[in-house]
Structure formats: structure tokens, C-alpha cells
Amino acid sequence: MISKGGSEALLTALVNTGRSFSPNYTLLLPLLHLLAKVGHRDRRIGVKAEDAGAALLTLNLLRHNVKHARRAAACLWVIQVFSSSVSTANLIGANHGLDVIYHLIPQYTTKHLHAIKAAIDAFAALLCTKANVCLVVSKGYVSGLLRLYEDWHAKATQHAAMAICHSLLRCLHKVTHSNAGKQAFVSQGGIRLLYVTTQTCLLSKGLESLVEPSVQLMRKCLPKTPLPLTSDRSAYTFLMPGRPHAVPDIDVEPDENSEESDDEEAEDNKDADFDDDLETDLSKLRLRPDPDRPKELLPQYNRLCPELSHDFQDLDLSSETEESSTASSSSSSDEEAALLNGLRFHSSRRGGGRSAASSDSSTSPSGSHSETDPEGHTPAAAQLEARDFHSHSSILSTSPSFRTKDREARQEQSFASLLRRSLLGANTKTAQLETQAVLLSSLEGLESRENRTRTSTALSVKPCCSQMRGFLKGIGDEAPLGQRGEDEDDEEEDADKSHHRTMIDRLLERHGACILHHEPKLYRAAAAKTKSIPGFSILAFPDFWGHLPPPGHESMAPRKPNIQRQKAFEDAQRFLTTDGIINQVVFDLEDSSLQCPSDSLRFFSKFECGNLRKAVQVRRYEYDLILNADANSSQHTQWFYFEVSNMVADVPYRFNVINCEKSNSQFNYGMQPVLYSVREALEGRPHWVRTGTEICYFRNHFCPARGRRRMTFYTLTFTITFKHNEDVCYLAYHYPYTYSALKAHLKVLQKSVDPAKVFFQQQVLCGTLAGNPCPVVTITACPASRSWIDMHQLRNRPYIMLTGRVHPGESNASWVMKGTLEFLCSSDPVAQSLREAFVFKLIPMLNPDGVVNGTNRCDLNSEDLNRQWCKPDPVLSPTIYHTKGLLYYLNSVGRTPLVFCDYHGHSRKKNVFLYGCSVKETLWQSGSAVNTVGLKEDPGYRTIPKTLDRLAPAFSFNSCNYLVEKSRSATARVVVWREMGVLRSYTLESTHNGCDQGIYKGLQTGTRELQEMGMKFCHSLLSVTKDVKGLYSHIDLDHNVLDHKSHNCFEDDEPPCVEEIEYSADCPALAGADLDSDINGNTASADEEEEGDEGCREVKHRRGSVGQSQQSSAKGRLFPHLMRQASAEMLGEKRNACNAVSVNRQVMS
Ligand SMILES: [Zn+2]
């Protein structure tokens, strides 16, 4: 009907009939009804109505029929439908349509409900334009709407009144799209009103459906609150080479357009429509760009391919000799040192396969970058720590009146800080002495307090405390690692330290778990050399002590029904009342002298990978947490890792991370954060475990401290009930894996391999901006002999290059890499075959500086390193520059890798999957007109994903895709594919959550599953070898079966969240069917002049929903006397703003 010009015909008929002085309503009424039904389905009805002159005519009809409920209702529906066009809505608004309609909305009544509802719906529809919203706000109607809602809500016990309430809420939603509307809503007590009404709703099942829209409205209108920070910039600033000053804080500059625009809500952090993003330029897909650097720069990388020049003369000798021969090749020239920007490469003298380790130790600590550290962080940090501790002990000694409990709390705090300090040791001599002195005195204090406590209270935390104390004494007396400098390993420590060492050994023996490939002391030695912006002097316990995957699997957390609205409700309470609200800062990364109440939780995050900037105690058991932005940046928050102590057992603590940035999160789909308990570890359970209840993730009302007006934040809230009193626990976004852990791990691996069989070389790719060496590892099999044939086989092995952790927040990538590394070094026959078949080049951590400093996305340059691959800057993105250099080199010597894979983590999807690159699939998917028939493409890029689908339980082939997106043209995967011509160039994405298919369905991944994935990835490489094809026939090597199950995965593949994460989402529009049934109710009466309750009763019979309790049979005014005296007075008070009251009275009386 619409396509055949039906709307136009109806409009013409309406205009012709309605124009006459006394229209024939017998004709007009059905016409209006039909127009409303048809028009509702015609997107252009508004414009058409305007063109036909029907919009204002309908308004006039309404004016003339305010006393005729059914006629009025019909006009109102038509107006509602016309308002789908902004200009029509504005036209009606400008002609006082809003005033007319507003005054048709009465206080609670049982009569003419369909007409009243039609009025409210038409009012809401008109509020789709800014101009109309302004009108409504300026006339004070927001207040009126609120009172109407209050009144109707109070009496809304029947479905009919409920519908009115819903419609009123829809009006309020529309009004509050503008800031003026929000302000009016808040100043008129809207939040409190909704808070109170919602509380009654919660008590009554029948009112339940009002809760969600009310809570959404409250969330939306809570006034924007700036984060309690002095600057949005990261607390960590790194002075970039070549820049004399820190980057100016551009975000602080006031925005030109300081008034928030109304479309502020329409944030665009969703990916661009993927079809638009696909690369359809065939030349860009197929042609290789010119290299980004001259050929002359490539020979330097031959040092990173020791396997090509190694002669294996010493095949039978120890690995030491083997290593030194490598070292000589790696130290070949000064030129090289110059090229390896950022790292002062003095490794040659120290020699050895430890070239990586030794070169990093000889990397001058006074190198330009550390020297230019503007804050002089390192010594200051250590001293602050010591002072901090002093202050605690002085409180202890001068306040004898503290209850035992408080003392214990203090004491526990001391444990926490002692533990941390002693794990690494202070960085300077002075601080070291201070620390030791403090440590000794406090240990004595602890001793006596502990004895006292023991006599008074029978049981307490003492076993743990004394264990810790022993532990502390052992380490605390030891020379701090920072001081030991060149002492390579613990083995070389002198005799007088051995006593203390044995204490640590004893403790580790007694309480430490035997964790494969983890040695705490090696870890500490590695950590002592790690360079960080703040100069970390403390180790987090879990990193030092180690982690074992817990026995068994961990299910995804069930989502508690209505959890979000419950949390949002609690948040609204904070705005409305001060009862029980504490709002005290208890931790500030930038203020270590901060004092906090004795009974509050203690937080700490100044350690490797740590990220917590501020903690605010909101209520007794509730804390707001603010994450630190990426270094030199003011955004990218997501990753967190911090220590918490001084807790009471069995009490639910609510934590709110209030400055998350992503628009959705797997925390809404069963993911839990991870927790590590020191006490549990000392009792033999050193596990990171998934934990937390009442988890949800939703948009909040916080905004940046300064500037950046478009930025919106999300809250991750979770509740933790700690198992032990006064434990020291660590909480993280995902299983932490530090840079120091990688260094220590590589050392352990190096020791673990049989040098006669496994060629394992760790070298330094380059130094990072902060001066941390970026390790590159070569793993292959030693040749069986030095015979020509064996050496020839070795020299012709294809290369596999694997990289990872370019994004620091994706620690899962490191666990997968750990699995890969351990498998490749293992004695497993498959691993042996792989080593014989390939040369593996692994760069496990492309962004060490980011990892160390707890950033989420970027490096110290505040750039996403995985967007730098097109033309990486040698100074600013050295790891990418040199990784690409190594690839160019391999390319130039005819050894282009067979497979390249960059390990990542995915925060918004489940399972593990691969992204690859295919010209054909990209063109197909984009709907490009390019004829692909003649295009030849090797389908071999699908072999590995298909193999993984069978081998790896966590892997999902259906989540993979092979599309080349413009927005990702500078990522490792696309650049290596396009520029190096690597057919099998991938991004491996591992979920932070878990799987929704396979044997792990419904389970969260643990480190065990992640490591398994790393191993399975190696297994899948068998599918691309020719040599072992026969041996491993269980793997299907069929390249030709293409299956097209693959689908796009740019968006979350989660179903829409049950609860709206965004509060800005529009309230649900009135469905066509609803409007139809409303209209049908209106047509029920045979006699259109028969007004009053008859019609209503008819409706009641028909629909059983509207108007169930009309008793009056009195005919008369269609809109009964609406204004009760009180409300009239109330409105009268607002006469200034609401100069329509007189009109109101006219209309109503
Ligand atoms: Zn990533």
C-alpha cells in the first residue's frame, strides 16, 4: 500500500475531509485510524504529511476535539506517526502542539486511558527533536512530567496505569537526551523520585517492568562526575629520546566547544562497519610495497641467525663453548651496536650464550634514557617506601591504646610492605640500610606482639605470620639485588650470605611448590635488572613465588539476575544520601605518604605489571578503583594488577574499577578476575584462581578529570569474599606474566635443554626505549653429525617466526608463548620432529616496556606497536623495527618464514582463533566487483586453522577469518603477509574468558589451557611440513577442502546483554503492533459520538488490559477533571517557568 502511494492518498483524503468547517467524523475517524496504522510503517510519512499540509491540520483537529476522547486519540496517534520526521515534529512543536498535548495528560484517573496514553506517546514522539526538547524544558514541563509520573506510579496497580507509567518514563527518557533536560530532571528531584518509586516497584511483582527503564533513566541522569584525579595523564611519564620535555598534556587543553553537544552519547568506539573497512584495492592486496629501508642495513641481522653460520665443531662439548662462538658472531661490529638503537651493546667482552643476559647487565644503567628520567624516580621511590614504613612503626609504638585488632592490622600492613620490600631489596645503599634497620626493629616488635597475642587469644593468623617472618628475615638481611649488579647468579654469592640463603631455601622447601620452569631466585635476579619508569624496588609475591594452575577446571560465573540494576541502584544511592558514605582516598600511586584508616583495605601496585592508580573507600566494604592510563598517555585502561591486604575474612567487599574504556566486556559473560592469596601459597596452594561474584560491566557517570569531553567510562564491579583474615592478596585482570618472568623462564629453559640435541640461543634483538633488552630465541635441532648431509639439512630448514605480547594487557599471549617455548624445548618426540623440521625464531615479548610498567595497550611512546609495522621508527619502535629487519633479512637470504604468528589476547570474545590473510576471501566478503575467477591463491593459509580445530580443544575454526582490513594494514599479520610474502601469516587470539564450544565449553581458561594452546599450535605446524607427513598421518593434510563456515568476527559474538550496558540507548520505541492494538481499541465503538466509558468498557472486554476498573457510567467530559488542587498549586508555584498553567486550566475545565 505504501509503495503504491497509499500514504499520499490517505493524506489527501484527510486534508480534504478535515478542512471543512464541521468535518464528518464518521468518515474522518476511520481515516485517521487507517493513516496511523499505515503511516507507522511508512518511513517518510512525516515529510509526506508536511507536503500535503496534513500535519498542522491534524493538530487543529486535535485542538477542536480535546473534549472528545476518541477523536482526540485518533489525532494524537496520527501526530505521533507524523513526528517520525524531525522537521514535521518541529513544525508541530512550533505551533504549540506540545502545549496542547501536555495539557491533555491528567493526573491519575480511570477514564479514557487510551486517549491519555495516546497523548503521552505523541508527546514522547515529538521529543525526538532538540528544538522540542528545549521548548519542553523551558516551559517547566519536566517537573510536571515528574509529578505526573509520581502520581500515576503511586496508583499504578493495574496494567492500564502501568502502560501510562511506561509512556511517561519514555517522555522523561527523551527529554533527558539533552543536557538541559538532564539538569531540569536532576534539579526537580527526578533521581530521588525514581529511586523511591523504584524501591516500591521492587516490592511488587506487578511493577517489576518499571524497574529497568527507571534505573536506566537514573543512570543516565546522574550528574557527570570527574574522576578524582589531578590529571588524566598517566602517573608514569617517560621522557622520549629527542624530546627535551615531557609531552605536553594536550588533553588538558580546554575543548573549543566546551558545551557538551547532545550527540555526546553517540560515542563511536565501535569498529567501523567491517565491510567498509575491507581492503578492496587489488593492487594493495597483491603488490608488495617497496622495503622501508635500504638493503645495506640488513646484513647486521645475520648475527641473529647463528644457526646459519654455526659450524657445530663442538657438538660433543658443553654448551658454553657453543655459546661463546655465537657471542663472537653477535659482537662482530660497532656498526651493529650503532644500529641496535637504544641498547648499548657491550656484550662482546662478556661472551657466552648468556649474551642476552650479560649484555643487559652491561647495559649502562646510566644510559641516556635512565639519565634523563625527569623525576629521578629510582632513589626517591626507595626512600619514600622506607619513610612510609617508618611512619607505620611509629604509629605502632606511640599508640598503645590501639586494640589488638588494630595492632594486628598494622602489623599485617608491615608484613605486606616488608614482604614487598624484602623480595627485591631497596635500590640504593642508604635506603637499604634504612630498610634493614627498620626491618630488624619491626621484626623484634612483631616477635613480642606475637607472643602477647598468643597468650591472649588462642588462635589467630600466627602460623602464617611466623612463616612470613622467617621468610622475611631470610631475604631481608640479604644484600638487595639492585646492589649486586654484576653478580650474575645466586650460585656466586659469598659464604656469609649462605646462611640467609639457606633460610630462604628452607622456606621455599617447606612451603614453596615445585613449579616446573620457575625458580624464585632466578626470578628475583632477573627482576633486579628490569628497568621501569618508577624504578620498582618491590616484587609482587606471586611473580616471585610462582603459580601453579589450580586442580580442576573453573566454570564461568553465572550472571546473577538483574545484577546491573542492583549495582546501578546502589550507585544512585551514593548520589542521594551521605549515610554510610566514606569517600576517602586510601591509596594513591603518586602519594605514598598517604595515611588511611586502620580498618580500611590497603592497596599497593608499585611493582612490575602493577596497575592501580588510586583507591577510594566509598562505603565500609566498598572501594572505587582507578586504573593508571598507559605511560605518557591518558587512556587505554583495562589491565589491572594490584595488591590488597588488611582484609577481614568472610565479608563481601565490593570493588568498582570505574575508569574502564571498552564498551563491553567478557565480564558480562561469565569472566572473573583472578586472585592470588599469599597465605594460600604458603600453605601449598600457590594458585591464581578465578574469583568474584556479582560481576558486571556497565557504563557509568564518570568523566575524565579534565578535558576530553567525549570520553565515557565503564565500571567493572565485582565482589570478593576473602578466605583469611589479614591475608595479602593480589587481584588481576588476567594471569600476570611479567617481563622478568620471561627473562627468568628463558634462563631456566636454556639450562633445561640438552645442548647436544637442542640448539637453543637467546640473544638480544635490541634494547627498548627504557633500556630493557628484547630477547629473541632461536630453537632448532642440532644436526646429528657434521656430515655434509646433516649440515645441509640444517641449513635448509624452513623458518617459523612467532612473536607475542605486543599488547601488554594481553598476558594470556605470554602464557600461550610459554607453552610454545616449553614444548619446543621438551624431549617430546613431536617437539624433536619439529626442531628437526624447522628453525624457530621467537620474540616472546615485543613490548617489554609496556609490560613492565603495567600499560594495557601501548609502549612508552603511547603508540600501539601493532600499528607501526608499515614503517616502524628505529628509535621510537625499536622492537618492531628490528623484528621487521630480521624478517627482511631472512627474506633477502631466501629464508622467508613459512609461518609467522603473533600471539594476542582477545577481551571481547570466547575461544582461541586465528586471523589470517586472503585476497579472495576479502574480495568475496566485501562484495567487490573484482572478478576472482582468474585469481590464483594458495589455500594453504587454512591448513593450520583447520588442523588446530581438531587438535586444540580451546580453538574454534568458526571464529577465524582471513580478511584484510584497511584499519589493520599496519599490523604484524598484514605487513608480514603483504611485504614479506608469508602466506601463513596470522594473529592468534586467545580469549581472556573461556570457551563456548568443545570440551572446555562453559569453562574459563586457566594457564594450563593457555599453555596447552601454545603446545597445540606447535603440533599444528606438522601439517605444513613435508618431512614428517608420513609419521603423523592422524593430521589431515588436505589443503583443498575449503569450508565456508567462517564468519566475521569483528563484533562481539555475544548475544546482546540482558541488561543495557549503555544507558544512552533509546527507550524501546513503540512497536507497530502496540499502536495497532491501541487504535483497534478506539475503533471498537459503533457510534463514534458515543463517548465516555462505553468505549472504554468495550476496550476492556476486547483487550482485557485497558481500563479494568471504570465504574462511572457518566457521560460528559472526555478528559475528566484532571488537576487535583494540590497538584495545581504545585504547578502554580512554578508558574514562571510554566506559563501554560492558565492554558491548562482552560483546557481542563
Ligand atoms: Zn592484541
Side-chain angles (χ1 to χ4, degrees):
M1 182 167 174
I2 292 164
S3 63
K4 296 277 190 292
S7 309
E8 285 87 344
L10 288 171
L11 287 166
T12 313
L14 171 67
V15 172
N16 291 337
T17 324
R19 230 184 238 149
S20 75
F21 182 69
S22 70
N24 176 358
Y25 280 98
T26 325
L27 200 61
L28 200 53
L29 204 58
L31 188 58
L32 287 167
H33 289 159
L34 191 55
L35 189 58
K37 284 188 189 176
V38 173
H40 195 57
R41 290 159 174 86
D42 183 349
R43 273 195 218 160
R44 303 195 59 251
I45 188 69
V47 181
K48 290 176 184 173
E50 219 179 312
D51 290 348
L56 292 181
L57 179 116
T58 312
L59 180 59
N60 262 332
L61 285 173
L62 175 66
R63 280 202 180 97
H64 288 113
N65 288 289
V66 290
K67 295 190 178 174
H68 299 268
R70 290 177 52 225
R71 292 181 196 169
C75 296
L76 287 163
W77 286 317
V78 171
I79 287 174
Q80 181 192 336
V81 161
F82 287 172
S83 302
S84 62
S85 146
V86 169
S87 75
T88 317
N90 279 338
L91 181 71
I92 296 170
N95 284 278
H96 303 287
L98 285 159
D99 304 307
V100 175
I101 298 172
Y102 176 75
H103 294 113
L104 291 176
I105 310 172
Q107 295 257 326
Y108 178 75
T109 172
T110 54
K111 292 175 187 170
H112 306 298
L113 292 176
H114 63 297
I116 297 168
K117 184 167 180 301
I120 305 172
D121 288 340
F123 197 77
L126 286 167
L127 293 177
C128 65
T129 80
K130 262 189 208 178
N132 285 349
V133 168
C134 286
L135 268 174
V136 165
V137 171
S138 68
K139 295 199 170 181
Y141 291 166
V142 175
S143 164
L145 288 169
L146 283 170
R147 298 318 132 202
L148 284 168
Y149 180 73
E150 187 175 21
D151 184 62
W152 278 90
H153 183 273
K155 291 146 190 166
T157 48
Q158 334 139 8
H159 187 96
M162 286 284 285
I164 305 276
C165 286
H166 273 288
S167 291
L168 284 167
L169 282 177
R170 191 177 301 130
C171 285
L172 290 167
H173 256 294
K174 296 263 188 146
V175 168
T176 51
H177 274 349
S178 84
N179 286 315
K182 267 183 212 148
Q183 278 165 14
F185 179 88
V186 174
S187 66
Q188 296 300 322
I191 293 181
R192 187 174 298 276
L193 172 69
L194 288 185
Y195 185 81
V196 174
T197 53
T198 307
Q199 273 181 322
T200 22
C201 293
L202 289 171
L203 299 175
S204 156
K205 192 102 179 112
L207 299 176
E208 168 81 17
S209 69
L210 290 173
V211 174
E212 188 63 28
S214 301
V215 170
Q216 292 293 358
L217 194 49
M218 263 191 276
R219 284 176 64 196
K220 178 176 161 186
C221 295
L222 280 176
K224 284 276 178 198
T225 308
L227 292 175
L229 295 173
T230 47
S231 162
D232 297 302
R233 301 285 299 178
S234 172
Y236 293 160
T237 306
F238 181 77
L239 200 62
M240 298 301 295
R243 289 185 204 161
H245 304 292
V247 189
D249 196 344
I250 39 168
D251 296 318
V252 170
E253 286 171 16
D255 208 292
E256 288 165 19
N257 181 7
S258 58
E259 201 196 328
E260 280 187 66
S261 80
D262 285 339
D263 55 14
E264 161 227 3
E265 315 283 14
E267 65 167 339
D268 58 356
N269 69 357
K270 278 180 191 145
D271 289 348
D273 186 1
F274 60 82
D275 280 333
D276 292 345
D277 191 30
L278 291 179
E279 183 60 77
T280 51
D281 182 341
L282 200 56
S283 64
K284 282 191 182 162
L285 284 170
R286 303 201 75 193
L287 297 180
R288 278 194 205 186
D290 293 332
D292 67 13
R293 65 195 84 187
K295 252 193 219 150
E296 296 71 50
L297 290 178
L298 301 183
Q300 60 171 310
Y301 296 104
N302 96 51
R303 93 183 159 86
L304 294 177
C305 296
E307 69 285 356
L308 291 178
S309 53
H310 199 96
D311 59 7
F312 292 92
Q313 252 174 358
D314 323 302
L315 211 53
D316 304 322
L317 300 179
S318 77
S319 58
E320 286 298 318
T321 16
E322 179 191 311
E323 286 160 357
S324 51
S325 66
T326 329
S328 62
S329 77
S330 70
S331 64
S332 54
S333 69
D334 293 337
E335 188 187 356
E336 190 179 290
L339 287 166
L340 283 174
N341 187 291
L343 181 72
R344 287 133 303 277
F345 204 76
H346 311 304
S347 65
S348 53
R349 268 159 290 133
R350 301 190 54 87
R354 293 187 186 145
S355 61
S358 47
S359 62
D360 80 57
S361 66
S362 58
T363 300
S364 164
S366 58
S368 57
H369 304 313
S370 353
E371 232 168 29
T372 50
D373 181 351
E375 317 289 345
H377 274 307
T378 308
Q383 279 160 14
L384 276 175
E385 275 307 311
R387 275 206 303 276
D388 180 29
F389 185 76
H390 269 306
S391 64
H392 281 302
S393 48
S394 69
I395 288 170
L396 275 175
S397 56
T398 54
S399 311
S401 61
F402 266 122
R403 286 178 299 116
T404 313
K405 179 125 183 84
D406 289 337
R407 276 207 306 274
E408 281 178 4
R410 292 278 160 203
Q411 178 183 320
E412 191 64 35
Q413 163 66 7
S414 316
F415 276 135
S417 52
L418 277 174
L419 192 58
R420 284 188 234 114
R421 184 170 20 262
S422 50
L423 283 173
L424 184 54
N427 266 8
T428 65
K429 196 89 190 169
T430 348
Q432 174 206 342
L433 291 173
E434 272 185 57
T435 310
Q436 287 195 349
V438 170
L439 211 110
L440 285 173
S441 67
S442 69
L443 285 173
E444 283 158 21
L446 279 178
E447 184 83 72
S448 55
R449 272 196 299 278
E450 191 184 345
N451 289 340
R452 257 184 287 138
T453 324
R454 206 174 272 156
T455 51
S456 53
T457 54
L459 65 134
S460 65
V461 288
K462 292 312 159 235
C464 177
C465 288
S466 50
Q467 281 157 16
M468 275 193 194
R469 189 160 44 82
F471 176 61
L472 293 169
K473 211 159 195 169
I475 314 173
D477 296 351
E478 203 177 9
L481 281 144
Q483 288 302 106
R484 293 194 298 162
E486 304 296 304
D487 291 352
E488 260 289 281
D489 283 316
D490 305 68
E491 295 93 81
E492 284 118 51
E493 283 178 30
D494 39 26
D496 75 340
K497 284 177 190 159
S498 64
H499 164 69
H500 305 302
R501 270 202 309 117
T502 56
M503 289 193 69
I504 307 170
D505 289 341
R506 271 211 306 275
L507 193 80
L508 281 167
E509 269 165 33
R510 206 180 325 146
H511 305 288
C514 177
I515 297 172
L516 193 65
H517 296 122
H518 180 75
E519 288 178 25
K521 284 176 287 174
L522 256 184
Y523 179 83
R524 197 172 41 154
K529 293 185 204 117
T530 297
K531 293 185 178 65
S532 61
I533 297 177
F536 296 134
S537 58
I538 281 161
L539 298 185
F541 185 90
D543 302 323
F544 168 78
W545 193 257
H547 147 80
L548 274 179
H553 292 291
E554 295 172 288
S555 295
M556 288 178 198
R559 188 176 169 100
K560 203 173 148 188
N562 301 320
I563 180 68
Q564 179 189 295
R565 77 182 193 198
Q566 181 197 324
K567 297 297 169 187
F569 209 58
E570 287 174 29
D571 289 351
Q573 204 174 29
R574 268 158 73 170
F575 172 77
L576 293 170
T577 171
T578 49
D579 292 353
I581 303 295
I582 296 171
N583 268 342
Q584 181 172 9
V585 177
V586 294
F587 170 74
D588 186 343
L589 189 57
E590 292 155 291
D591 180 9
S592 46
S593 61
L594 192 80
Q595 296 289 326
C596 53
S598 59
D599 61 350
S600 79
L601 290 179
R602 304 293 149 85
F603 294 86
F604 189 77
S605 70
K606 213 166 186 175
F607 48 75
E608 198 176 336
C609 289
N611 189 326
L612 176 66
R613 182 168 186 174
K614 210 163 185 175
V616 181
Q617 183 174 20
V618 179
R619 296 184 174 94
R620 176 124 193 243
Y621 297 113
E622 180 178 350
Y623 294 83
D624 277 356
L625 308 176
I626 300 172
L627 305 181
N628 194 18
D630 281 6
N632 281 5
S633 153
S634 44
Q635 48 187 333
H636 305 299
T637 51
Q638 174 170 283
W639 167 258
F640 60 85
Y641 181 19
F642 57 86
E643 180 198 274
V644 57
S645 57
N646 202 35
M647 64 283 285
V648 179
D650 301 323
V651 170
Y653 286 91
R654 177 178 170 188
F655 296 94
N656 311 306
V657 181
I658 58 171
N659 64 336
C660 300
E661 288 175 18
K662 292 210 171 178
S663 59
N664 198 353
S665 163
Q666 281 290 326
F667 283 117
N668 277 331
Y669 305 96
M671 181 163 100
Q672 295 172 293
V674 294
L675 176 134
Y676 188 106
S677 151
V678 170
R679 180 172 313 221
E680 287 285 303
L682 291 177
E683 290 176 6
R685 294 178 293 278
H687 310 308
W688 278 106
V689 290
R690 300 276 190 169
T691 195
T693 54
E694 315 225 321
I695 302 172
C696 74
Y697 187 95
F698 55 94
R699 181 162 163 189
N700 62 30
H701 63 287
F702 286 99
C703 62
R706 312 170 69 180
R708 289 204 299 151
R709 74 195 162 89
R710 277 181 61 86
M711 190 73 193
T712 48
F713 289 119
Y714 297 81
T715 291
L716 160 65
T717 181
F718 56 87
T719 298
I720 306 263
T721 307
F722 297 98
K723 200 170 159 189
H724 305 286
N725 273 319
E726 299 173 358
D727 195 356
V728 178
C729 289
Y730 292 81
L731 277 162
Y733 177 78
H734 194 76
Y735 310 97
Y737 189 98
T738 65
Y739 167 65
S740 300
L742 172 70
K743 290 193 293 181
H745 185 225
L746 290 178
K747 235 177 203 185
V748 172
L749 280 179
Q750 182 156 10
K751 282 189 201 167
S752 76
V753 297
D754 175 355
K757 282 189 175 163
V758 182
F759 182 88
F760 181 103
Q761 281 287 293
Q762 190 199 153
Q763 293 174 285
V764 176
L765 175 74
C766 62
T768 63
L769 283 170
N772 287 305
C774 175
V776 51
V777 179
T778 305
I779 301 173
T780 192
C782 293
S785 73
R786 295 188 61 225
S787 68
W788 181 86
I789 189 146
D790 284 339
M791 292 304 280
H792 180 78
Q793 193 274 341
L794 166 73
R795 305 266 193 255
N796 284 288
R797 288 174 193 165
Y799 279 73
I800 308 278
M801 189 185 273
L802 306 174
T803 58
R805 203 75 188 276
V806 71
H807 295 142
E810 296 165 2
S811 61
N812 39 3
S814 280
W815 289 96
V816 176
M817 184 60 83
K818 185 172 190 279
T820 293
L821 279 164
E822 286 175 8
F823 180 73
L824 289 177
C825 292
S826 74
S827 55
D828 187 292
V830 177
Q832 177 63 23
S833 302
L834 286 168
R835 288 191 299 261
E836 285 165 7
F838 300 113
V839 175
F840 289 89
K841 289 279 171 204
L842 304 106
I843 304 170
M845 202 172 271
L846 283 169
N847 190 354
D849 290 348
V851 170
V852 169
N853 294 292
T855 69
N856 180 59
R857 187 80 182 172
C858 299
D859 70 341
L860 302 186
N861 189 24
S862 69
E863 296 282 357
D864 180 343
L865 283 180
N866 203 31
R867 295 292 185 278
Q868 309 300 316
W869 280 77
C870 280
K871 204 166 183 347
D873 186 293
V875 177
L876 299 178
S877 311
T879 59
I880 305 303
Y881 179 82
H882 292 294
T883 304
K884 196 175 174 188
L886 176 56
L887 282 158
Y888 271 130
Y889 173 75
L890 291 171
N891 210 278
S892 72
V893 296
R895 310 304 302 276
T896 305
L898 189 65
V899 176
F900 172 87
C901 187
D902 192 20
Y903 291 6
H904 284 251
H906 206 293
S907 66
R908 298 209 265 176
K909 289 187 196 170
K910 296 196 170 76
N911 308 316
V912 181
F913 49 94
L914 285 170
Y915 290 136
C917 302
S918 155
V919 174
K920 281 192 171 183
E921 296 200 28
T922 304
L923 292 174
W924 290 336
Q925 183 69 39
S926 67
S928 157
V930 178
N931 184 0
T932 53
V933 176
L935 272 177
K936 286 261 182 285
E937 187 171 56
D938 183 344
Y941 62 88
R942 280 177 167 252
T943 312
I944 288 176
K946 282 168 71 70
T947 310
L948 279 173
D949 199 40
R950 297 179 191 193
L951 295 179
F955 191 84
S956 162
F957 183 79
N958 287 340
S959 299
C960 299
N961 77 52
Y962 314 93
L963 305 176
V964 182
E965 308 91 339
K966 290 177 206 152
S967 64
R968 302 189 192 190
S969 62
T971 61
R973 161 179 65 102
V974 175
V975 168
V976 172
W977 170 75
R978 178 149 61 206
E979 299 193 23
M980 309 294 163
V982 176
L983 172 71
R984 297 174 183 88
S985 175
Y986 303 105
T987 301
L988 179 74
E989 296 278 4
S990 303
T991 179
H992 284 96
N993 184 1
C995 298
D996 59 11
Q997 47 80 46
I999 57 169
Y1000 297 152
K1001 185 174 180 175
L1003 302 174
Q1004 297 180 83
T1005 55
T1007 54
R1008 187 193 290 112
E1009 291 75 28
L1010 293 167
Q1011 289 193 232
E1012 178 194 64
M1013 188 60 227
M1015 176 189 81
K1016 296 291 185 185
F1017 185 83
C1018 297
H1019 279 186
S1020 78
L1021 294 172
L1022 288 172
S1023 64
V1024 295
T1025 63
K1026 296 185 192 92
D1027 304 358
V1028 284
K1029 199 170 180 174
L1031 280 174
Y1032 298 96
S1033 51
H1034 64 279
I1035 293 170
D1036 183 3
L1037 297 176
D1038 186 359
H1039 290 194
N1040 302 317
V1041 184
L1042 275 183
D1043 98 36
H1044 291 281
K1045 277 192 294 179
S1046 148
H1047 62 267
N1048 267 291
C1049 296
F1050 291 84
E1051 304 299 325
D1052 300 350
D1053 42 355
E1054 301 296 349
C1057 210
V1058 197
E1059 295 175 275
E1060 204 64 61
I1061 299 144
E1062 292 284 332
Y1063 52 65
S1064 54
D1066 209 349
C1067 44
L1070 199 62
D1074 289 348
L1075 187 71
D1076 288 350
S1077 69
D1078 283 356
I1079 295 167
N1080 292 341
N1082 209 38
T1083 51
S1085 172
D1087 176 5
E1088 78 93 7
E1089 291 300 330
E1090 168 77 14
E1091 301 282 5
D1093 286 334
E1094 306 299 332
C1096 278
R1097 261 181 275 163
E1098 283 256 11
V1099 172
K1100 180 180 74 182
H1101 288 306
R1102 202 162 294 244
R1103 299 177 57 208
S1105 59
V1106 174
Q1108 284 173 16
S1109 64
Q1110 289 85 355
Q1111 299 137 354
S1112 164
S1113 60
K1115 299 183 181 181
R1117 285 167 312 189
L1118 300 179
F1119 284 73
H1121 194 62
L1122 310 158
M1123 304 288 290
R1124 287 177 308 165
Q1125 194 53 38
S1127 4
E1129 278 166 14
M1130 185 270 300
L1131 276 179
E1133 282 167 15
K1134 306 204 160 45
R1135 189 175 280 260
N1136 289 343
C1138 181
N1139 41 21
V1141 170
S1142 51
V1143 183
N1144 191 0
R1145 292 227 170 94
Q1146 275 171 11
V1147 175
M1148 297 310 169
S1149 50

